[in-house]
Amino acid sequence: MPEPIEVRKVAIESVTDASGLTGLIDDGVIEAHRVLAVIGKTEGNGGVNDYTRILADRAFREVLAERGHPRPGSVPLVWSGGTDGVLSPHATIFATTANAEPTSEPRLSVGVAMSEIILPEDIGRPTMVEKVADGVREAMRAAGIDDPADVHYVQTKTPLLTLATINDARSRGGDVFTEDTGFSMDVSNSTTALGVAVALGEIEMPAAERIHRDLSLYSSVASCSSGVELDRAQIVVVGNVRGVGGRYRIGHSVMRDALDTDGIWQAIRSSGIDLPDRPHPSDLGDRLVNVFMKCEADPSGRVRGRRNIMLDDSDVHWHRQIKATVGGVAAGVTGDPAIFVSVAAVHQGPSGGGPVAAIADLG
């Protein structure tokens, strides 16, 4: 049986601020050596050259090292860059605990894993799907989860393509899916999502020509980010296990489009929070730890029949526009702008929408 989980959300008040993590450790809420993973939003541009992810990564690893974590470099720190609109930089910290109340009810369990090295020529291709799927299965075992139905959220971070890695592939006689480094972020995310879907039995292994093209294929629990700071998939599987104990529970749903507040509320209900028929943020109290979601500009260029110009706008990339939109919608639901909203969601939830996971404190 895996150990029970303590999970807390902390604010990030500057690019290199890790004081929230320091405070949790110094106050005895968590122990440094028990930290399993950190999932957070940083305030950069969210692009290939988003240095804020690297700065946050370094700051949090330094705290773990200073406070006695034996292998701070091995902890998955999944940073999603870009807090457009009202979104607020923050981090959600997952750690095991020895102080959880026993219960036979389903409670939060977390498993982490690292995939095999993902080569530049793997991105966008079945080899990457297979490597990610193997890593997800390993993380499920670490979480003590046997039934894929008990998995409600899989957060990953994978490599994208840069000029250096493209040249590396060429030096070995290989080629790459795309030479557009910005577009490679979307492709890395979508290929990873298919790996999650394969591991959880949501889809069969896809043919190469369906990757990043067949939008009918998706995972309802995958949330995939990519960056330049790693060469393999960091995988965090979050689900529920009976008997593990503790105060926390996770649930999930999907947003059908960028305005689907019902999808967000359904994820919150799925986490175990009782709500009235027409809920309001005040109904949540302090029971909602955080919500995690992916979003995507609808490829049709329309939302609920109305035309928008996100995909035609040459001034502001659609990544930033849809992130700000969904962030505002979600913050209106939760009453808290410190929520995890990440973009580039092909194969992550239905096209034009995305998956939503919610963690509740039921203590």
Side-chain angles (χ1 to χ4, degrees):
M1 180 69 68
E3 292 184 279
I5 299 296
E6 183 67 39
V7 56
R8 295 296 178 98
K9 179 170 68 178
V10 299
I12 297 178
E13 299 294 350
S14 66
V15 178
T16 57
D17 175 38
S19 62
L21 173 60
T22 303
L24 289 176
I25 296 171
D26 292 350
D27 292 344
V29 177
I30 62 174
E31 298 176 81
H33 71 278
R34 288 182 171 271
V35 173
L36 289 176
V38 177
I39 299 171
K41 291 293 299 182
T42 66
E43 62 202 73
N45 61 24
V48 175
N49 65 335
D50 186 347
Y51 65 90
T52 65
R53 297 188 301 247
I54 297 172
L55 293 174
D57 194 275
R58 179 177 297 176
F60 273 67
R61 291 193 196 279
E62 286 176 353
V63 170
L64 291 175
E66 291 167 0
R67 294 301 191 273
H69 194 289
R71 299 183 309 281
S74 68
V75 178
L77 304 186
V78 181
W79 299 109
S80 172
T83 48
D84 302 274
V86 298
L87 289 173
S88 183
H90 69 281
T92 304
I93 300 156
F94 298 85
T96 60
T97 179
N99 301 313
E101 292 291 330
T103 177
S104 60
E105 293 298 310
R107 288 295 183 264
L108 194 72
S109 187
V110 177
V112 301
M114 298 287 281
S115 76
E116 293 182 40
I117 289 177
I118 295 173
L119 299 172
E121 54 266 43
D122 295 338
I123 295 173
R125 291 170 175 155
T127 302
M128 182 175 179
V129 175
E130 292 171 347
K131 289 180 178 180
V132 170
D134 287 343
V136 171
R137 296 183 187 105
E138 181 183 345
M140 285 179 62
R141 288 191 290 271
I145 298 174
D146 299 318
D147 186 349
D150 292 326
V151 175
H152 293 274
Y153 175 43
V154 181
Q155 180 64 57
T156 65
K157 188 76 181 220
T158 50
L160 47 73
L161 292 170
T162 65
L163 181 58
T165 58
I166 291 170
N167 287 334
D168 175 55
R170 288 173 176 161
S171 73
R172 289 179 280 100
D175 64 350
V176 293
F177 186 93
T178 178
E179 295 186 6
D180 182 336
T181 58
F183 177 55
S184 77
M185 176 181 295
D186 297 36
V187 174
S188 180
N189 291 357
S190 63
T191 312
T192 303
L194 293 176
V196 175
V198 167
L200 299 181
E202 295 177 284
I203 64 169
E204 298 296 326
M205 183 68 190
E209 60 269 19
R210 301 181 75 183
I211 297 173
H212 204 80
R213 296 183 180 92
D214 185 347
L215 301 184
S216 70
L217 302 178
Y218 65 83
S219 170
S220 61
V221 298
S223 174
C224 306
S225 295
S226 50
V228 300
E229 61 267 35
L230 70 174
D231 62 0
R232 60 188 74 208
Q234 293 181 341
I235 300 165
V236 182
V237 166
V238 189
N240 295 316
V241 173
R242 288 188 179 273
V244 69
R247 299 160 40 186
Y248 304 98
R249 181 172 170 174
I250 188 169
H252 81 277
S253 185
V254 296
M255 293 179 73
R256 295 293 169 182
D257 61 32
L259 304 178
D260 184 12
T261 56
D262 288 341
I264 302 172
W265 283 119
Q266 180 55 40
I268 295 171
R269 284 191 174 94
S270 175
S271 72
I273 296 178
D274 292 327
L275 295 169
D277 289 340
R278 294 179 61 83
H280 183 271
S282 60
D283 296 318
L284 296 172
D286 59 359
R287 294 177 295 171
L288 182 64
V289 177
N290 207 0
V291 292
F292 307 83
M293 56 187 62
K294 292 289 294 189
C295 58
E296 183 84 2
D298 195 304
S300 72
R302 292 180 178 269
V303 174
R304 303 199 180 183
R306 297 292 192 181
R307 184 174 71 93
N308 63 73
I309 53 87
M310 282 187 284
L311 296 174
D312 288 327
D313 194 334
S314 297
D315 295 314
V316 180
H317 196 279
W318 67 264
H319 277 196
R320 310 200 74 162
Q321 297 190 46
I322 192 64
K323 194 186 308 176
T325 300
V326 173
V329 170
V333 168
T334 65
D336 184 358
I339 47 182
F340 186 92
V341 180
S342 178
V343 76
V346 171
H347 299 317
Q348 297 153 77
S351 181
V356 187
I359 296 177
D361 182 346
L362 302 181

